């Protein structure tokens, strides 16, 4: 689970990268619901998350992120 | 908005960006996109033309994200959004699929935005740079002087209606410079421009060309070959813009390895005396199949349409093989050419033991939507023709020897990726046609091959390569099947496990 601060930080990164408002981002947000969540922006997003949280995601983790909820869970596992 | 070849020519002339992915059709055909792609900055300028006029304002910054390459002659849809009076976003879609996002930020300005700088020549390359990954990863700085071709730049501005959009000629020059920088200097030839963020300064007076630029690599992410670059532009001692660009590095075209195939195939040649015709045999999976069949002793007729150099390279790789490769050039949808080839095989006193239809049109992501139906249908028509015409010409000859009618399908008929509906539909059509041919001509042995995503020119992008199977592994599995008992009816091959000979 992410802390409230980290949840806010993660939503800000997603919002900045995908060009959407942070309020639009729910757990079900995904490439299917956000047109700007393209395959290239997926890479940009993973890279931005790694940089902001100081972690390294494996390829399996990156390709396993199918929604915002997946991303939050993945980051949460790394932060412990 | 629609961008044509003449738009590419004009942009290239204005910017001095002659990167072959945009300007060399033969080179571009062998990339994952299959044809020349539109300069990303050209797409962004075309998008700018869709914004409202702005008086008393000038551009303060841009953020361009190139989600997917734009192609020529496609009618793209633009959605313009103003979340505030200073900020306009233009999203560009291809049948509902986002391909470009251009964000323009403006600020008040009293300066005449249409003032042109005095022209003084810069220095530009005529061939793009080619850096090794190690050099890029180690970090480099590229600096120089740049002046666009001003008459062409004026024509570009007029073409896309960019006057009165709050963007000065100098700023447009800086934007086209960014295209030159990425496509010609850093990373150069293998670039796939992905993102640009620039902040513009507003000098008190318009400086003269040339632009004086400095670009410094920040990081190369080796996992997906993403290069980030810091940018600074000035002129006449005045800072004009700074920011960051990102470019993917397109990998080298994958080439089939005879050594890899030898390691995966039986030591002894098991196909001596057999003849195979491989449609689309010069590159990718077809090249691996051709080479592997020759290594197993078969006489291979390698049919290609355009890739003569690659076809010759496959043939030369088979130099010491027990079999041999003969090249035949033609259009595999042309029944007359195919029937002539069939007659030649018969006149040579031979027959045909394997017909392998591997050729496929370039595969590009496509939404299933009304505005894309033309491309959807064209892809299916071409795909089916590349199998039906050879099958029509050779099926009787094949039946004489109870030969193999092999079609290359894909595991995507089961996994059905949403962005490739045309590909899935075409492969289903081809599989159905193969079953129908088998019913009509039961003497042949039909093999439907459903490989996973293979590492070929079609998938050769930083993301497309992820988890792609080497073509040699899939080719070896198919070739080994030919020396095993014949199937009862139509067989579908879906397993391509690593093999031990």
């Amino acid at each position: 689970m992410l802390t409230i601060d980290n949840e806010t930080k993660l939503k800000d990164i997603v919002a900045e990268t995908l060009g959407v408002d942070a309020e639009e981002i729910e757990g079900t947000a995904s490439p299917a619901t956000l047109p700007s969540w393209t395959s290239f922006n997926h890479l940009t997003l993973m890279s931005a998350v790694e940089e902001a949280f100081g972690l390294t995601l494996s390829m399996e983790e990156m390709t396993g992120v199918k929604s915002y909820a997946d991303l939050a869970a993945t980051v949460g596992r790394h932060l412990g | 908005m629609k961008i044509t070849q003449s738009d590419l020519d004009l942009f290239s002339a204005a910017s001095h960006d002659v990167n072959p992915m945009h300007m060399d059709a033969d080179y571009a055909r062998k990339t994952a996109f299959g044809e020349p792609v539109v300069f990303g900055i050209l797409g962004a300028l075309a998008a700018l033309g869709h914004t409202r006029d702005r008086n008393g304002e000038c551009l303060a910054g841009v953020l361009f994200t190139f989600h997917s390459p734009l192609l020529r002659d496609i009618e793209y849809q633009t959605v313009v959004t103003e979340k505030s009076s200073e900020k306009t976003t233009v999203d560009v879609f291809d049948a509902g699929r986002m391909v470009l996002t251009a964000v323009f930020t403006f600020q008040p300005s009293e300066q005449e935005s249409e003032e042109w700088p005095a022209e003084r020549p810069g220095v530009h390359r005529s061939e793009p740079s080619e850096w090794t990954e190690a050099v890029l990863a180690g970090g480099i700085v590229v600096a120089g002087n740049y002046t666009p071709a001003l008459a062409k730049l004026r024509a570009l501005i007029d073409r896309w209606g960019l006057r009165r959009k709050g963007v000065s000629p100098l700023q447009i020059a800086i934007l086209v410079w960014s295209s030159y920088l990425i496509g010609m200097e850093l990373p150069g030839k293998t670039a796939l421009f992905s993102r640009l963020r620039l902040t513009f300064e507003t000098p008190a007076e318009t400086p003269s060309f040339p632009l004086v630029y400095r670009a410094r690599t920040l990081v190369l992410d080796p996992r997906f070959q993403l290069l980030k670059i810091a940018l600074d532009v000035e002129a006449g001692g005045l800072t004009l813009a700074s920011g960051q660009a990102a470019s993917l590095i397109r990998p080298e075209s994958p080439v089939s390895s005879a050594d890899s195939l030898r390691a995966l195939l039986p030591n002894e040649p098991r196909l001596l005396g057999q003849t195979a015709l491989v449609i689309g045999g010069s590159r990718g999976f077809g090249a691996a199949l051709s080479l592997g069949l020759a290594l197993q002793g078969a006489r291979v007729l390698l049919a290609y349409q355009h890739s003569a150099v690659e076809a010759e390279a496959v043939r030369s790789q088979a130099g010491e093989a027990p079999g041999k490769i003969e090249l035949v050039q033609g259009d595999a949808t042309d029944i007359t050419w195919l029937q002539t080839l069939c007659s030649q095989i018969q006149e040579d006193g031979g027959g045909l033991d394997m017909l392998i239809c591997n050729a496929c049109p370039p595969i590009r992501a496509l939404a299933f939507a009304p505005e894309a139906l033309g491309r959807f249908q064209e892809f299916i028509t071409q795909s089916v023709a590349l199998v039906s015409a050879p099958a029509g010409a050779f099926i009787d000859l094949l039946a004489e020897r109870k030969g193999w009618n092999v079609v290359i399908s894909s595991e995507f008929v089961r996994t059905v990726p949403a962005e490739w509906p045309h590909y899935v539909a075409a492969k289903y059509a081809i599989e159905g046609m193969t079953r129908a041919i088998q019913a009509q001509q039961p003497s042949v042995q039909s093999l439907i091959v459903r490989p996973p995503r293979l590492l070929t020119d079609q998938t050769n992008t930083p993301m497309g390569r992820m988890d792609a199977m080497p073509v040699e592994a899939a080719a070896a599995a198919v070739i080994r099947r030919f020396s095993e008992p014949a199937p009862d009816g139509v067989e579908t091959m879906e397993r391509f496990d690593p093999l031990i000979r």
Side-chain angles (χ1 to χ4, degrees):
Chain A
M1 280 286 288
L2 290 175
T3 63
I4 292 173
D5 283 352
N6 281 334
E7 177 91 34
T8 303
K9 184 176 171 180
L10 183 60
K11 282 195 173 179
D12 285 345
I13 293 166
V14 175
E16 162 71 13
T17 306
L18 304 185
V20 296
D21 293 332
E23 301 79 56
E24 288 182 50
I25 302 164
E26 299 173 346
T28 55
S30 71
T33 63
L34 297 174
S36 59
W37 196 331
T38 58
S39 55
F40 173 70
N41 259 350
H42 188 80
L43 293 187
T44 308
L45 179 58
M46 297 301 123
S47 176
V49 166
E50 287 182 326
E51 192 175 329
F53 287 97
L55 49 86
T56 301
L57 302 173
S58 67
M59 292 305 285
E60 290 72 26
E61 286 174 318
M62 288 189 191
T63 53
V65 170
K66 308 290 186 194
S67 65
Y68 175 76
D70 291 343
L71 179 61
T74 303
V75 174
R77 277 198 301 277
H78 275 267
L79 298 180
Chain B
M1 69 189 206
K2 184 190 281 188
I3 297 173
T4 64
Q5 180 60 49
S6 62
D7 292 322
L8 266 65
D9 294 340
L10 176 59
F11 183 88
S12 177
S15 64
H16 310 303
D17 184 351
V18 293
N19 186 291
M21 194 177 66
H22 307 290
M23 299 305 293
D24 181 339
D26 188 52
Y27 175 91
R29 193 170 49 76
K30 295 163 191 166
T31 69
F33 312 108
E35 65 171 283
V37 305
V38 171
F39 298 93
I41 297 296
L42 172 56
L45 291 176
L48 175 63
H50 286 73
T51 64
R52 67 175 169 84
D53 287 355
R54 289 180 180 267
N55 297 315
E57 292 178 86
C58 70
L59 194 62
V62 297
L63 173 60
F64 300 153
T65 305
F66 308 113
H67 303 288
S68 185
L70 280 72
L71 299 172
R72 300 163 301 173
D73 302 323
I74 290 174
E75 190 65 61
Y76 291 100
Q77 297 78 46
T78 56
V79 176
V80 181
T81 311
E82 277 194 39
K83 286 191 175 170
S84 69
S85 60
E86 302 84 26
K87 190 172 177 180
T88 299
T89 299
V90 186
D91 290 314
V92 180
F93 293 88
D94 174 16
R97 198 171 56 86
M98 188 177 278
V99 293
L100 164 66
T101 300
V103 182
F104 303 94
T105 310
F106 298 89
Q107 62 188 3
S109 171
E110 293 176 359
Q111 206 172 332
E112 171 54 62
S113 70
E114 296 214 12
E115 188 176 340
W116 280 79
E119 182 170 6
R120 289 183 193 148
V123 178
H124 57 265
R125 290 178 163 274
S126 56
E127 296 286 335
S129 305
E130 294 186 61
W131 303 98
T132 64
E133 186 180 332
V135 169
L136 293 173
I140 52 173
V141 174
V142 171
N145 297 335
Y146 174 86
T147 300
L150 294 190
K152 299 294 185 184
L153 195 69
R154 284 178 203 276
L156 184 71
I157 289 169
D158 289 341
R159 164 68 179 95
W160 297 105
L162 304 182
R163 296 177 195 276
R164 294 181 296 282
K165 299 297 181 187
V167 183
S168 68
L170 186 65
Q171 290 174 323
I172 292 175
I174 292 169
L175 292 174
V176 303
W177 159 78
S178 72
S179 184
Y180 169 83
L181 176 84
I182 297 298
M184 299 296 288
E185 295 280 5
L186 189 64
K189 187 172 184 179
T190 56
L192 191 59
F193 204 168
S194 305
R195 199 171 176 93
L196 175 69
R197 183 192 293 275
L198 277 181
T199 303
F200 292 97
E201 303 294 331
T202 315
E205 50 189 64
T206 302
S208 299
F209 284 122
L211 302 175
V212 180
Y213 64 86
R214 184 174 183 276
R216 176 173 54 91
T217 57
L218 295 171
V219 64
L220 174 64
D221 189 326
R223 292 169 301 178
F224 23 81
Q225 299 287 291
L226 182 64
L227 180 69
K228 293 181 181 173
I229 305 162
L231 310 174
D232 289 287
V233 187
E234 59 175 55
L238 300 169
T239 298
L240 300 177
S242 58
Q244 197 179 108
S247 173
L248 293 163
I249 312 285
R250 289 178 295 106
E252 289 286 320
S253 187
V255 176
S256 295
S257 158
D259 288 342
S260 297
L261 283 162
R262 280 194 193 94
L264 292 163
L265 289 167
N267 279 325
E268 70 282 8
R270 294 183 178 176
L271 300 175
L272 285 169
Q274 299 201 30
T275 299
L277 171 60
V278 181
I279 304 293
S282 60
R283 297 187 289 139
F285 192 34
L289 287 165
S290 299
L291 191 51
L293 287 164
L295 291 172
Q296 282 293 286
R299 173 195 179 207
V300 179
L301 301 171
L302 186 163
Y304 70 97
Q305 185 171 15
H306 299 294
S307 303
V309 173
E310 289 78 4
E312 186 55 50
V314 177
R315 176 163 68 174
S316 65
Q317 273 209 80
E320 300 298 314
K324 63 176 179 178
I325 293 178
E326 298 167 31
L327 305 184
V328 287
Q329 190 277 327
D331 175 0
T333 66
D334 179 352
I335 191 68
T336 305
W337 176 71
L338 291 163
Q339 286 173 329
T340 303
L341 181 61
C342 186
S343 300
Q344 285 171 355
I345 293 171
Q346 289 172 305
E347 285 167 15
D348 290 346
L352 191 63
D353 300 281
M354 297 152 221
L355 170 65
I356 302 178
C357 292
N358 172 67
C360 180
I363 312 161
R364 308 181 193 102
L366 187 68
F368 184 74
E371 55 269 44
L373 279 181
R375 279 178 281 158
F376 181 88
Q377 290 160 354
E378 185 184 352
F379 183 90
I380 294 171
T381 301
Q382 285 185 4
S383 298
V384 170
L386 285 165
V387 177
S388 60
F394 291 99
I395 202 69
D396 289 340
L397 188 63
L398 207 56
E400 287 176 13
R401 289 192 175 184
K402 300 189 187 314
W404 292 84
N405 180 30
V406 183
V407 294
I408 309 305
S409 181
S410 166
E411 72 165 8
F412 287 166
V413 297
R414 284 190 295 104
T415 57
V416 191
E419 66 272 27
W420 286 5
H422 52 324
Y423 185 70
V424 172
K427 291 304 185 189
Y428 264 119
I430 288 165
E431 289 196 8
M433 181 170 60
T434 303
R435 292 179 193 283
I437 291 169
Q438 176 73 40
Q440 186 176 311
Q441 185 52 277
S443 297
V444 299
Q445 308 170 61
S446 296
L447 182 64
I448 294 169
V449 182
R450 289 181 178 174
R453 189 155 43 87
L454 298 172
L455 179 52
T456 68
D457 286 337
Q458 298 256 28
T459 58
N460 194 26
T461 64
M463 285 166 281
R465 293 172 68 97
M466 289 179 189
D467 302 325
M469 176 183 273
V471 288
E472 294 89 342
V478 173
I479 293 165
R480 291 173 71 101
R481 181 66 189 86
F482 295 140
S483 49
E484 293 168 3
D488 182 17
V490 180
E491 179 174 309
T492 301
M493 180 180 232
E494 297 188 280
R495 295 198 61 178
F496 302 86
D497 301 334
L499 298 163
I500 301 167
R501 71 180 163 173

